Amino acid sequence: EAGVAQSPRYKIIEKRQSVAFWCNPISGHATLYWYQQILGQGPKLLIQFQNNGVVDDSQLPKDRFSAERLKGVDSTLKIQPAKLEDSAVYLCASSPTGGEQFFGPGTRLTVL
Amino acid sequence: QKEVEQNSGPLSVPEGAIASLNCTYSDRGSQSFFWYRQYSGKSPELIMFIYSNGDKEDGRFTAQLNKASQYVSLLIRDSQPSDSATYLCAVNINQFYFGTGTSLTVIP
């Protein structure tokens, strides 16, 4: 069974630029999550989707971050404009039940 | 108070010993609890989950949940150098909250 796919794996941008991340969950997993993990910290939930609907986006900085999950499969997370403090690893995870989660390899973002 | 708290460590144990990792959480209504292992530069991988009070064993790993005291622990028996990693506790409190992780080093 293929795992969660994410791309790109690394991204370096200047502050105020925009960036987008892509995630393809495990086949059949209805729940998809985006997390931000800053070095030395645990993952912080940004948004949770159930199929193509948003379950929770209370910690998503909506002035600059947006996410969508069209057709209930792939998802994209966008940051526009990026700030220095957005430098982090962005993790996508999926779950068959909304319980145990399986993480992708992550995208390491550096904002200069 | 943070939703999920862990001792950041580092915790060092000799090879073959038992490693004990602890996690406390703030919401008595929490229903599901997870332990993840994260190697440096890698993404978290699920070790085990527990929903009911008591112990749950899976190989060398045992998760212990005490809802009255609001803590969940992970015991690693016969620790191996390959167990050296950061261990993340996650709790579903209306949404998923992760602790900051405990760094474990198993000394050969």
Side-chain angles (χ1 to χ4, degrees), chain A residues 33 35 37 40-43 45 48 56 58-59 91 98-105 108, chain B residues 32 34 36 38 41-46 49 51 88 92 94-101:
Chain A
Y33 309 81
Y35 289 90
Q37 187 173 24
Q41 299 182 19
L45 180 68
Q48 176 183 343
D56 191 307
S58 57
Q59 298 194 89
L91 295 163
E100 62 272 26
Q101 300 175 40
F102 300 89
F103 284 83
R108 184 175 299 276
Chain B
S32 50
F34 305 84
Y36 288 84
Q38 187 171 30
K42 303 294 186 182
S43 59
E45 55 178 324
L46 180 68
F49 56 88
Y51 297 153
L88 296 164
N92 191 346
N94 297 318
Q95 64 164 264
F96 281 92
Y97 291 94
F98 280 78
T100 55

Side-chain angles (χ1 to χ4, degrees), chain B residues 25-41:
Chain B
Y25 58 94
S26 60
D27 190 333
R28 284 187 178 276
S30 303
Q31 295 296 318
S32 50
F33 309 85
F34 305 84
W35 282 101
Y36 288 84
R37 176 174 62 199
Q38 187 171 30
Y39 292 112
S40 180

Side-chain angles (χ1 to χ4, degrees), chain A residues 9-42:
Chain A
R9 294 295 310 279
Y10 305 91
K11 190 74 177 178
I12 300 174
I13 61 172
E14 301 278 337
K15 60 183 179 183
R16 291 187 289 273
Q17 286 186 324
S18 63
V19 63
F21 312 126
W22 174 83
C23 173
N24 183 249
I26 294 172
S27 178
H29 283 196
T31 311
L32 184 148
Y33 309 81
W34 282 103
Y35 289 90
Q36 179 193 60
Q37 187 173 24
I38 293 172
L39 188 64
Q41 299 182 19

Side-chain angles (χ1 to χ4, degrees), chain B residues 6-22:
Chain B
Q6 295 182 255
N7 186 330
S8 62
L11 174 66
S12 294
V13 299
E15 184 175 353
I18 296 175
S20 177
L21 305 157
N22 299 310

Side-chain angles (χ1 to χ4, degrees), chain A residues 38-106:
Chain A
I38 293 172
L39 188 64
Q41 299 182 19
K44 171 189 167 185
L45 180 68
L46 294 175
I47 190 166
Q48 176 183 343
F49 292 96
Q50 179 75 19
N51 297 310
N52 61 349
V54 175
V55 173
D56 191 307
D57 64 357
S58 57
Q59 298 194 89
L60 186 73
K62 297 180 186 64
D63 57 335
R64 299 185 300 108
F65 286 64
S66 64
E68 60 182 8
R69 189 184 185 195
L70 299 177
K71 301 180 182 178
V73 182
D74 292 11
S75 178
T76 56
L77 176 70
K78 296 179 182 178
I79 307 176
Q80 182 180 9
K83 294 184 175 181
L84 296 176
E85 59 261 35
D86 297 333
S87 293
V89 175
Y90 290 84
L91 295 163
C92 179
S94 69
S95 173
T97 61
E100 62 272 26
Q101 300 175 40
F102 300 89
F103 284 83

